[in-house]
């Protein structure tokens, strides 16, 4: 079956409990290959719809949130945003310009798989249905449609992933064959006094500043590759993705620890990024590590490798200060990937470094079982097997920056 056939629109008639029927038209959002103006109107209507469905949340995302996620994604494809249009009178005008009542978006992504190479994947997100049309199986129709597109198209997607809350996981397992995969996280209480002292810096050798995009994208792209992509099952980020997506998503909330370079030819000062961090609030006094990494090849004036815990302490103080966490009167805690905490504990044992800014005695596991996968091609690397195999299992982590 050709890609055009897979994306062909279709009608679906639903019989309601009272015996009446409702017709829904399944199609893609219009792409710029038809009409740029019509495409923009279609996408604008879709973003407003998504925002309306999620308006119940304490901090509901506005339409601009969904528009930003779409337009800043280098791999965006309006054909892969699949919607159901309500057609109460079942006419062509409704099919073209009727009300969007359900949505699923397929995200093109590449996952790192170590020596096995990479895995081309389709992420599922923006799954939502209007409250007036729920419990009619509309999301089930769209999910089956998306799975068919991903598994049968020429786009080489060999698996699909999504993140689901516990109450929805059985549905995704039953309808799509998805299986949960654990991502290991730990929540650690933070001691604010050491951070307050550390965030001012030790000497003139180091500087903490906000990341600049697109100027810092090349350095961060290479460093993230070494710190995360080469040792985790995670999203592979292109340089374009760093410039267009990460830069827009994190903006002024990404902090970098830098070391000065010698003067350049034109006399302009340059610096090298040593480590980076971004956090996001997850409730009162609670923050999650949204983005982090350290250049383990970098050395200080004392010719010692930069320690993860040393970089974390300095960057975390600045990030918390920006987020209002330093002035928090109550308890403050950080949710971070367990592999980062394990790395810092090993440093503490090997070097005796002071990690008093973290209350390690009260650290608790808080793993995330919400990421789910289904494999389409047994000849390609299987993410579930890569993370659970007995020999050299690869930790699984989708950084919150890359969530969808």
């Amino acid at each position: 079956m050709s890609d055009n056939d897979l994306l062909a629109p279709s009608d679906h008639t639903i019989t309601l409990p009272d015996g009446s029927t409702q017709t829904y038209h399944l199609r893609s959002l219009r792409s710029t290959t038809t009409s740029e103006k019509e495409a923009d109107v279609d996408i604008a209507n879709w973003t407003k719809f998504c925002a309306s469905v999620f308006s119940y949340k304490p901090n509901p995302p506005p339409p601009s949130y969904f528009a930003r996620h779409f337009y800043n994604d280098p791999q965006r494809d309006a054909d892969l945003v699949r919607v159901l249009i309500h057609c109460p009178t079942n006419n062509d005008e409704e099919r073209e310009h009727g009300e969007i009542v359900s949505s699923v978006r397929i995200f093109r992504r590449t996952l790192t798989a170590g020596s096995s190479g990479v895995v081309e994947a389709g992420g599922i997100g923006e799954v939502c249905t209007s409250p007036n049309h729920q419990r009619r199986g509309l999301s089930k129709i769209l999910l089956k449609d998306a799975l068919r597109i991903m598994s049968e198209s020429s786009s080489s997607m060999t698996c699909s992933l999504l993140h689901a809350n516990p109450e929805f996981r059985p549905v995704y397992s039953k309808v799509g064959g998805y299986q949960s995969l654990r991502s290991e996280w730990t929540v650690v209480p933070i001691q604010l006094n050491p951070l307050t002292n550390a965030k001012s810096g030790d000497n003139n050798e180091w500087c903490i500043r906000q990341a600049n995009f697109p100027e810092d994208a090349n350095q961060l792209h290479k460093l993230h590759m070494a710190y995360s992509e080469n040792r985790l099952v995670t999203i592979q980020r292109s340089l374009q993705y760093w410039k267009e997506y990460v830069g827009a998503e994190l903006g002024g909330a990404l902090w970098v620890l830098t070391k000065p370079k010698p003067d350049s030819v034109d006399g302009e000062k340059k610096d090298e990024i040593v480590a980076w961090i971004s956090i996001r609030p997850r409730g009162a006094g609670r923050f999650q590590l949204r983005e982090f990494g350290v250049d383990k090849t970098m050395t200080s004036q004392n010719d010692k490798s930069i320690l993860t815990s040393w970089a974390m302490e300095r960057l975390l103080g600045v990030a918390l200060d920006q987020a209002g966490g330093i002035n928090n009167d109550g308890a403050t805690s950080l949710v971070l990937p367990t592999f980062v905490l394990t790395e810092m504990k090993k440093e503490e044992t090997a070097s005796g470094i002071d990690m008093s800014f973290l209350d390690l005695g009260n650290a608790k596991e808080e793993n995330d079982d919400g990421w789910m996968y289904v494999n389409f091609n047994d000849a390609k690397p299987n993410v579930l097997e890569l993370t659970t195999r007995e020999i050299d299992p690869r930790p699984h982590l989708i950084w919150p920056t890359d969530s969808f």
Side-chain angles (χ1 to χ4, degrees):
M1 185 179 293
S2 70
D3 288 355
N4 286 336
D5 290 336
L6 287 170
L7 295 169
S10 58
D11 285 346
H12 299 263
T13 300
I14 306 297
T15 302
L16 304 184
D18 64 2
S20 64
T21 60
Q22 292 289 328
T23 299
Y24 298 90
H25 182 65
L26 192 162
R27 66 169 173 85
S28 297
L29 293 185
R30 295 180 183 86
S31 66
T32 53
T33 57
T34 54
S35 163
E36 187 170 349
K37 183 178 179 180
E38 287 188 0
D40 287 342
V41 169
D42 222 21
I43 292 168
N45 289 336
W46 170 69
T47 63
K48 291 174 184 176
F49 161 71
C50 291
S52 70
V53 176
F54 291 110
S55 62
Y56 68 90
K57 290 190 172 184
N59 295 300
S64 59
Y65 169 87
F66 299 98
R68 189 182 74 233
H69 270 215
F70 180 80
Y71 284 112
N72 292 326
D73 185 349
Q75 293 183 288
R76 64 185 176 275
D77 188 343
D79 283 336
L80 297 182
V81 181
R82 302 287 280 175
V83 296
L84 282 167
I85 309 294
H86 186 216
C87 301
T89 60
N90 198 14
N91 62 60
D92 289 341
E93 175 64 22
E94 288 174 340
R95 290 180 176 85
E96 288 299 312
H97 305 290
E99 177 192 6
I100 296 174
V101 296
S102 194
S103 159
V104 164
R105 180 183 169 191
I106 301 171
F107 294 74
R108 295 182 186 274
R109 292 294 183 263
T110 302
L111 298 166
T112 57
S115 58
S116 301
V118 295
V119 179
E120 298 302 326
I124 293 292
E126 263 77 284
V127 180
C128 51
T129 299
S130 170
N132 294 333
H133 296 266
Q134 290 177 359
R135 300 187 181 279
R136 298 181 181 183
L138 302 189
S139 290
K140 181 178 178 180
I141 291 172
L142 285 171
L143 180 60
K144 286 186 173 181
D145 172 72
L147 286 166
R148 184 173 58 90
I149 291 170
M150 290 184 290
S151 61
E152 297 180 20
S153 74
S154 61
S155 63
S156 71
M157 287 181 273
T158 60
C159 75
S160 176
L161 70 157
L162 56 83
H163 192 273
N165 290 331
E167 63 269 27
F168 296 118
R169 291 170 199 166
V171 176
Y172 287 115
S173 178
K174 181 179 179 180
V175 175
Y178 287 88
Q179 293 179 262
S180 289
L181 182 59
R182 172 160 292 183
S183 302
E184 295 184 348
W185 292 78
T186 303
V187 57
V188 188
I190 300 171
Q191 304 296 327
L192 295 178
N193 286 340
L195 286 178
T196 304
N197 296 330
K199 71 186 182 72
S200 60
D202 302 284
N203 51 51
N204 293 328
E205 184 183 3
W206 309 104
C207 173
I208 296 176
R209 60 170 175 80
Q210 288 181 329
N212 297 317
F213 288 96
E215 294 83 358
D216 290 329
N218 192 51
Q219 281 194 74
L220 288 167
H221 172 232
K222 293 177 180 177
L223 293 172
H224 176 79
M225 191 184 303
Y227 187 78
S228 290
E229 294 177 15
N230 288 351
R231 56 177 175 168
L232 303 171
V233 172
T234 192
I235 300 291
Q236 185 183 64
R237 300 176 184 170
S238 66
L239 179 58
Q240 185 183 11
Y241 183 92
W242 269 100
K243 289 179 178 179
E244 298 179 10
Y245 189 82
V246 179
E249 285 300 297
L250 301 187
L254 181 64
W255 295 90
V256 294
L257 176 66
T258 67
K259 178 181 180 180
K261 282 183 179 180
D263 289 352
S264 62
V265 176
D266 58 7
E268 182 184 357
K269 286 284 187 179
K270 301 287 186 179
D271 58 21
E272 293 179 278
I273 296 174
V274 177
W276 63 100
I277 195 172
S278 181
I279 61 174
R280 63 177 181 175
R282 307 307 284 170
R286 183 182 173 94
F287 299 88
Q288 184 183 34
L289 205 61
R290 177 166 51 185
E291 184 74 26
F292 181 74
V294 178
D295 181 1
K296 303 299 291 183
T297 66
M298 184 65 71
T299 58
S300 65
Q301 289 180 347
N302 297 323
D303 202 32
K304 295 181 179 179
S305 295
I306 302 301
L307 297 177
T308 303
S309 52
W310 181 89
M312 172 73 78
E313 184 176 10
R314 279 138 191 84
L315 285 167
L316 184 58
V318 174
L320 280 171
D321 196 24
Q322 182 198 42
I326 289 289
N327 300 318
N328 180 43
D329 294 331
T332 304
S333 60
L334 178 68
V335 185
L336 74 166
T338 300
F339 88 90
V340 177
L341 183 61
T342 300
E343 192 172 86
M344 292 193 290
K345 285 181 177 179
K346 288 180 179 178
E347 293 174 352
E348 182 185 36
T349 301
S351 64
I353 190 171
D354 179 15
M355 286 177 53
S356 59
F357 70 100
L358 296 177
D359 183 2
L360 297 177
N362 287 303
K364 295 180 181 179
E365 284 187 3
E366 197 169 280
N367 296 321
D368 178 10
D369 294 324
W371 285 103
M372 305 183 74
Y373 287 79
V374 61
N375 202 53
F376 305 138
N377 188 338
D378 292 336
K380 298 294 182 180
N382 185 311
V383 170
L384 293 163
E385 292 177 358
L386 287 171
T387 58
T388 58
R389 62 191 180 191
E390 291 186 10
I391 300 175
D392 191 29
R394 293 179 69 84
H396 173 267
L397 176 69
I398 305 297
W399 286 101
T401 300
D402 301 312
S403 294
F404 42 80

